[in-house]
């Protein structure tokens, strides 16, 4: 049979998972931050993106190279140079921070043919990506080696981190959802408690205990509104804020590091999935914080007769 002690113990065990999840989130964020901070990686991403544009318009560029008039992005190009410009302008507008590779050439004769141009861009991107990631004096390898059934498998580190980020989202949702459901049920038990000794003593269970019979809390002959407001509202509210702060110390790091990594790695193939997952994770984290403000919970206090101590 479920009891306050059983639920409290389960909630405490769930809190311990904050450590491993925070470690994984920090690892993902660190690699994402290193990738974002390194100029070579940004340039490589720009070149890869520009290469995709050239590949999409390869047929039209080949015809323009042969002296034919072609239509590129709704514009009639009478020369190879204008064809490359019409192909790249929408991409340049969308990615103003990127270096425009074909713009370096002023006349048709200096622009390589479309296929060599595409291969040259890819080669430059590969050369930039081959440089190791470094951040705060820590050098990260280009490839990560995994062992699968005794067989070593090498994977690009950034690709591995993206996969870890996608997998980390559901793990955080499962953890945060379990935290919320467990805590919500525990608060229902706590709301009916009259004896503080029945309260499971995990870190988040911090509640005001008022000693009756003490001179400070003796019922006065004349009603004191200041004492009433402090005892029934201000005092419990301070403890509720303390519980929220303690909970944030566990939930905050893994969620914050995960959301930062989602922002840093946005723009790749997994960006839509990661962004949606990050939004849901943030909502679940907020739900856990709001759980500490439930009406039957936020004003909870325990009154203990002084003579029973």
């Amino acid at each position: 049979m479920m009891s306050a002690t059983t639920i409290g113990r389960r909630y405490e065990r769930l809190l311990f998972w904050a450590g491993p999840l925070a470690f994984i989130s920090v690892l993902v964020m660190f690699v994402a931050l290193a990738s974002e901070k390194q100029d070579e990686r940004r340039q490589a991403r720009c070149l890869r993106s520009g290469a995709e544009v050239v590949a999409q318009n390869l047929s039209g560029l080949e015809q323009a190279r042969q002296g034919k008039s072609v239509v590129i992005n709704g514009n009639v190009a009478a020369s190879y140079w204008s064809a490359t410009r019409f192909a790249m302008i929408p991409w340049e507008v969308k990615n103003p921070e990127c270096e425009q590779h074909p713009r370096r050439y002023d006349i048709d004769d200096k622009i390589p043919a479309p296929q060599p141009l595409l291969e040259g861009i890819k080669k430059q991107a590969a050369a930039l990506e081959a440089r190791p990631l470094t951040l705060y004096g820590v050098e990260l390898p280009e490839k990560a080696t995994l062992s699968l059934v005794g067989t070593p498998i090498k994977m690009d580190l950034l690709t591995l981190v993206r996969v870890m980020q996608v997998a980390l989202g559901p793990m955080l949702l499962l953890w945060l959802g379990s935290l919320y459901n467990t805590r919500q049920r525990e608060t229902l038990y706590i709301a009916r408690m009259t004896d503080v000794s029945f309260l499971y003593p995990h870190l988040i269970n911090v509640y005001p205990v008022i000693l009756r019979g003490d001179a400070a809390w003796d019922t006065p002959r004349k009603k004191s509104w200041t004492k009433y407001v402090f005892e029934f509202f201000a005092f419990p509210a301070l403890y509720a804020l303390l519980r929220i702060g303690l909970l944030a110390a566990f939930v905050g790091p893994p969620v914050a590091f995960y959301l930062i990594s989602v922002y840093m790695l946005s723009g790749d193939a997994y960006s839509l999935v990661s962004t949606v997952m990050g939004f849901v994770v943030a909502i679940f984290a907020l739900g856990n914080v709001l759980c500490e403000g439930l009406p039957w919970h936020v004003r909870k206090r325990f009154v203990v007769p002084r003579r029973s101590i």
Side-chain angles (χ1 to χ4, degrees), residues 25-78:
S25 299
V26 167
L27 179 62
V28 173
M29 184 199 69
F30 188 82
V31 177
L33 187 61
S35 176
E36 180 66 22
K37 290 293 184 181
Q38 196 162 5
D39 292 337
E40 290 84 355
R41 294 287 169 160
R42 287 201 300 268
Q43 292 176 14
R45 286 198 297 270
C46 286
L47 289 171
R48 290 287 184 190
S49 177
E52 292 177 1
V53 176
V54 175
Q56 291 170 2
N57 296 276
L58 192 61
S59 177
L61 293 175
E62 290 282 6
Q63 296 179 33
R65 179 72 174 177
Q66 298 170 7
K68 301 178 181 179
S69 295
V70 295
V71 178
I72 304 289
N73 291 327
N75 300 290
V76 179

Side-chain angles (χ1 to χ4, degrees), residues 68-264:
K68 301 178 181 179
S69 295
V70 295
V71 178
I72 304 289
N73 291 327
N75 300 290
V76 179
S79 65
Y80 181 42
W81 182 88
S82 60
T84 58
R85 296 303 307 129
F86 289 145
M88 299 304 296
I89 284 175
W91 174 78
E92 294 170 4
V93 172
K94 186 178 179 181
N95 304 276
E97 73 283 358
C98 291
E99 181 181 4
Q100 291 79 37
H101 188 276
R103 183 178 282 184
R104 299 178 188 173
Y105 308 99
D106 297 327
I107 57 177
D108 293 358
D109 294 338
K110 289 187 177 182
I111 305 180
Q115 190 62 42
L117 175 64
L118 177 61
E119 293 175 357
I121 295 175
K122 290 182 177 180
K123 187 178 295 185
Q124 289 185 41
L128 291 171
E129 291 171 343
R131 300 180 184 180
L133 290 173
T134 56
L135 183 66
Y136 302 125
V138 179
E139 183 174 308
L140 302 174
E142 178 189 356
K143 301 286 185 179
T145 303
L146 304 177
S147 179
L148 183 63
V149 196
T151 304
I153 299 176
K154 288 189 176 182
M155 182 183 297
D156 183 78
L157 182 62
L158 200 56
T159 301
L160 176 62
V161 167
R162 289 191 180 103
V163 173
M164 290 173 60
Q165 185 188 70
V166 172
L168 185 59
M171 291 175 61
L172 285 172
L173 289 181
L174 178 62
W175 178 60
L176 292 170
S178 298
L179 272 179
Y180 175 83
N181 286 318
T182 305
R183 183 58 173 169
Q184 196 263 353
R185 284 160 176 76
E186 187 182 19
T187 60
L188 295 175
Y189 277 100
I190 294 174
R192 298 194 297 266
M193 282 185 188
T194 56
D195 191 343
V196 69
S197 63
F198 294 153
L199 187 68
Y200 187 82
H202 62 67
L203 183 62
I204 311 300
N205 275 344
V206 181
Y207 295 89
V209 177
I210 298 173
L211 301 179
R212 289 299 187 190
D214 193 309
W217 295 103
D218 283 338
T219 304
R221 295 179 181 178
K222 185 177 180 181
K223 189 170 184 178
S224 172
W225 285 104
T226 302
K227 177 183 174 182
Y228 176 80
V229 171
F230 182 78
E231 180 179 346
F232 286 90
F233 295 99
F235 202 38
L238 288 175
Y239 273 81
L241 292 175
L242 176 60
R243 290 194 298 272
I244 290 174
L246 292 172
L247 179 63
F250 287 89
V251 174
V255 172
F257 295 146
Y258 173 75
L259 294 179
I260 292 173
S261 71
V262 169
Y263 174 76
M264 289 294 181

